[in-house]
Amino acid sequence: MKLAALAAFAATLLAMASVAQVPDWTQVTTANVPVARSSHAMAYDSARGRVVMFGGYGGGNDTWEYDGVNWTYVATANSPSGRSNHVMAFDSARGKVVMTGGNDTAPGYLNDTWEYDGVNWTPVTTANSPSPRVWHAIAFDNARGKVVMFGGYDGSYLNDTWEYDGVDWIQTTTANSPSVRHSHEMVFDSARGSVVIFGGNGSNRLNDTWEYDGVNWAQVTTANSPAGRFWHAMAFDSARGEVVMFGGNGTGSAYLNDTWEYDGVNWTQATTASSPSGRMSHQMVYDSARGWPVMFGGNDSAAVSLSDTWLYGDVAVSSANSYGTGCGAPALSFLPTANPVIGTIAGALISNAPTPFAGVTLGATDTFIGGYPLLPLSLWAWGMPGCWMLHSNDVFGLSVTSVTASTLQFDAAIPFASVLLSQHFYIQAYCFAPGANAAQIVTSNGIDWLIGNQ
């Protein structure tokens, strides 16, 4: 299909979709599992579609990547020293993971800056640098192309704001500022162009919300607010336009396992069927290629380090299954070549085509026409004996491209939209076939698409 046709097809799927699922937590099992750890750092490399994790208590100076299926250890020629309580963010403008600070095994507070390009770590020498610190927070402002860092602890509680442009660290002076704190969380809300901070540890556990627009900090008063906490985890879910927060250390040193969402106006506690155990010092980032926040590790209430991987959102496995039969001699065949995963191109191959003049129909149901359960419907009355209509023809005439004299390829862009997850759509091919029957058209078997994000 041409680009314009792909865009039209994507718009059609969205128009036909029903209400999205309620997000939930799903624990995933991977062939490789990083060693249990806490106070590590993670960032999402959107250029390569990988979650990157470095260090932490239990991790030392190891680098791991998660591709949505498995964790893989990455051996690099150079590596930062082993550390914990450091921070990382992915600079999408330059394609680099940026890491700074933390404490090493001495222990000692660090203020070195490192960059990771997916192959190796490289130290960066800057003219200016924040003081050595731990428990600070960082986010990449992709609207302005700068890494933003706030607060932490260097022997004293801090509330300084720094920006890194890939060359140097510059401290910014703002008219307003959050109070001194450490162990807070910070993300960039790309929908509204604001850095968002929640909580942390000041003189007590904080539950305030702040936003930074690149010029000034402003406190946001919300009707609802999570309880005060620190050592929690946050990520911005760009598909749903929500900041997602999980867990942390709450009042009375409780290990929390609550999930909250912030839409720029208010915080709302999410009710989920499943949930990770209460924890703190875990990490969470948003995997934009697959459309879900990914969380790993932390400490549980028994002070045991964890090595579990969790996904939050509408997690759904895609499938493409043939059903019914085609007609013609030999019968027109329609077989899947790529599953319908959101944000990708799904496909199917037409075989035994008598001519290259063919198309594809799309339907939302394989049972009903006009509200009546008439499918599958014999096409005998329309001059096509032995042929069947296998789904509602909501869209007719989707184009195909020739591969060989008798094979044709159908490709369709599945939009990156969570509303499509776990939705069924049905496709069927038809082809001009002179002499095959009175209508001179043959039809294929159908394909049942179940749209997912993996």
Side-chain angles (χ1 to χ4, degrees):
M1 297 174 72
K2 302 298 184 182
L3 289 178
L6 286 173
F9 181 85
T12 299
L13 285 184
L14 287 172
M16 294 168 64
S18 60
V19 178
Q21 297 171 304
V22 175
D24 196 13
W25 285 101
T26 302
Q27 186 173 1
V28 296
T29 301
T30 57
N32 302 319
V33 180
V35 66
R37 69 193 64 207
S38 62
S39 301
H40 45 297
M42 294 199 322
Y44 180 70
D45 181 336
S46 56
R48 298 185 306 116
R50 300 286 189 274
V51 174
V52 178
M53 180 170 68
F54 182 85
Y57 291 121
N61 70 336
D62 56 349
T63 302
W64 288 82
E65 294 185 354
Y66 176 67
D67 62 2
V69 177
N70 198 16
W71 284 99
T72 302
Y73 171 74
V74 182
T76 58
N78 301 318
S79 179
S81 60
R83 66 190 64 200
S84 56
N85 300 308
H86 48 300
V87 292
M88 296 197 320
F90 180 67
D91 181 336
S92 57
R94 298 186 305 115
K96 308 276 189 179
V97 172
V98 177
M99 181 176 74
T100 185
N103 57 278
D104 60 18
T105 54
Y109 297 156
L110 303 168
N111 70 338
D112 50 349
T113 301
W114 289 79
E115 294 183 347
Y116 173 70
D117 61 4
V119 177
N120 201 15
W121 286 98
T122 303
V124 180
T125 301
T126 58
N128 301 298
S129 183
S131 61
R133 67 189 64 197
V134 294
W135 303 327
H136 41 315
I138 195 171
F140 180 68
D141 181 336
N142 59 27
R144 299 186 305 119
K146 294 183 178 181
V147 172
V148 180
M149 187 180 78
F150 181 83
Y153 182 82
D154 67 354
S156 299
Y157 291 4
L158 301 168
N159 71 334
D160 47 351
T161 302
W162 290 79
E163 295 184 349
Y164 174 70
D165 60 4
V167 177
D168 198 11
W169 286 99
I170 303 298
Q171 185 172 2
T172 64
T173 301
T174 58
N176 301 315
S177 176
S179 59
V180 295
R181 68 193 62 205
H182 69 72
S183 307
H184 46 295
E185 271 296 306
M186 189 163 83
V187 298
F188 180 69
D189 180 336
S190 56
R192 297 182 307 111
S194 296
V195 172
V196 179
I197 278 180
F198 181 83
N201 191 2
S203 57
N204 52 30
R205 291 167 176 80
L206 301 168
N207 73 333
D208 50 351
T209 302
W210 289 80
E211 295 189 0
Y212 175 67
D213 62 4
V215 177
N216 199 14
W217 287 99
Q219 186 169 2
V220 181
T221 301
T222 58
N224 302 316
S225 180
R229 69 194 63 205
F230 62 97
W231 284 330
H232 46 296
M234 293 197 323
F236 180 69
D237 183 334
S238 58
R240 298 173 51 246
E242 306 271 1
V243 174
V244 178
M245 181 175 71
F246 181 83
N249 187 300
T251 302
S253 296
Y255 286 67
L256 303 171
N257 73 333
D258 50 349
T259 303
W260 288 80
E261 296 182 353
Y262 172 68
D263 62 3
V265 177
N266 199 16
W267 285 97
T268 303
Q269 186 169 2
T271 301
T272 60
S274 303
S275 178
S277 60
R279 65 190 63 201
M280 66 179 192
S281 302
H282 46 302
Q283 286 291 310
M284 180 165 60
V285 296
Y286 180 68
D287 180 340
S288 59
R290 283 156 284 273
W292 54 55
V294 179
M295 188 174 75
F296 183 86
N299 277 330
D300 66 11
S301 58
V304 173
S305 291
L306 303 167
S307 61
D308 48 351
T309 302
W310 290 81
L311 310 177
Y312 179 73
D314 306 321
V315 180
V317 178
S318 66
S319 64
N321 296 308
S322 299
Y323 70 100
T325 58
C327 61
L332 191 66
S333 173
F334 199 27
L335 296 177
T337 56
N339 280 6
V341 176
I342 59 172
T344 69
I345 305 295
L349 187 70
I350 303 170
S351 301
N352 304 325
T355 71
F357 304 107
V360 172
T361 57
L362 170 73
T365 173
D366 64 345
T367 305
F368 295 94
I369 293 180
Y372 296 98
L374 300 176
L375 297 174
L377 178 66
S378 172
L379 298 176
W380 176 84
W382 287 268
M384 291 179 276
C387 303
W388 297 86
M389 179 189 292
L390 298 175
H391 61 71
S392 57
N393 285 346
D394 299 295
V395 180
F396 190 86
L398 298 172
S399 62
V400 298
T401 56
S402 294
V403 179
T404 70
S406 61
T407 58
L408 309 165
Q409 180 68 34
F410 172 68
D411 292 314
I414 309 301
F416 183 67
S418 60
V419 69
L420 293 173
L421 295 179
S422 297
Q423 301 285 331
H424 283 271
F425 293 94
Y426 304 88
I427 55 175
Q428 185 179 12
Y430 58 92
C431 187
F432 177 55
N437 51 42
Q440 301 189 91
I441 295 174
V442 293
T443 59
S444 74
N445 58 284
I447 298 177
D448 175 357
W449 270 354
L450 177 61
I451 297 182
N453 45 17
Q454 61 177 321

